[in-house]
Amino acid sequence: MTAGESPRPDATTSTADLVAQAAQQISTLVRDELALAKLEMAEKGKRAGLGGGLLGGAAVLGLYGLGLLLILAVILLHLVWPLWLSVLVVMLAVFLTAGVVAAVGRRQLRSAAPPVPHDAIAGVAADVQTVKTAAHQGRQR
């Protein structure tokens, strides 16, 4: 028997020994699944952090560009209207756009699902099914 193999029950193995082995194996299985879930969530967290940082940098650059675009809009409107009216119209357009974007963003946040370690959950479900199948086959013998 190698180090990775579990002992095979034979005719002399007692029920108590089998139950103890099963409990030990289930405990190891649960620890391994929890470690998998932890690793999976850490990896997702790293990717989310990197993506968030990149999006933050893009947002800053976008804000600078938007500011320049708004200044250009004020200057162009100033060619036709007085300066105060040009600034007022551009300001109202910006506030209206901000309100629409905020409403859409709020709706998206409310519909977002909580982060879940799907791979670990699938692994646990498969393990539970394997244990159920093994127990069912063991009862039939």
Side-chain angles (χ1 to χ4, degrees):
M1 175 168 63
T2 63
E5 291 182 26
S6 60
R8 289 224 171 258
D10 56 18
T12 62
T13 305
S14 70
T15 302
D17 290 338
L18 292 175
V19 169
Q21 287 176 3
Q24 189 261 339
Q25 290 172 352
I26 290 171
S27 174
T28 301
L29 180 65
V30 168
R31 276 195 304 272
D32 290 347
E33 292 294 347
L34 287 174
L36 175 64
K38 183 179 176 183
L39 287 173
E40 183 181 349
M41 292 305 288
E43 181 63 31
K44 286 184 179 186
K46 286 178 188 177
R47 277 188 261 137
L50 178 62
L54 291 172
L55 283 175
V60 168
L61 293 174
L63 284 175
Y64 282 124
L66 180 61
L68 292 172
L69 181 67
L70 293 174
I71 290 171
L72 177 64
V74 169
I75 291 171
L76 291 175
L77 287 174
H78 179 58
L79 295 174
V80 183
W81 295 336
L83 182 60
W84 70 268
L85 185 58
S86 302
V87 171
L88 180 65
V89 168
V90 171
M91 179 187 66
L92 289 176
V94 168
F95 283 148
L96 179 65
T97 304
V100 169
V101 169
V104 170
R106 184 174 181 204
R107 192 174 319 125
Q108 289 296 321
L109 281 175
R110 285 185 174 183
S111 68
V116 177
H118 296 289
D119 293 342
I121 290 173
V124 168
D127 294 340
V128 167
Q129 186 59 40
T130 301
V131 169
K132 284 181 179 179
T133 301
H136 181 69
Q137 290 174 348
R139 278 189 233 147
Q140 291 178 349
R141 288 186 183 174

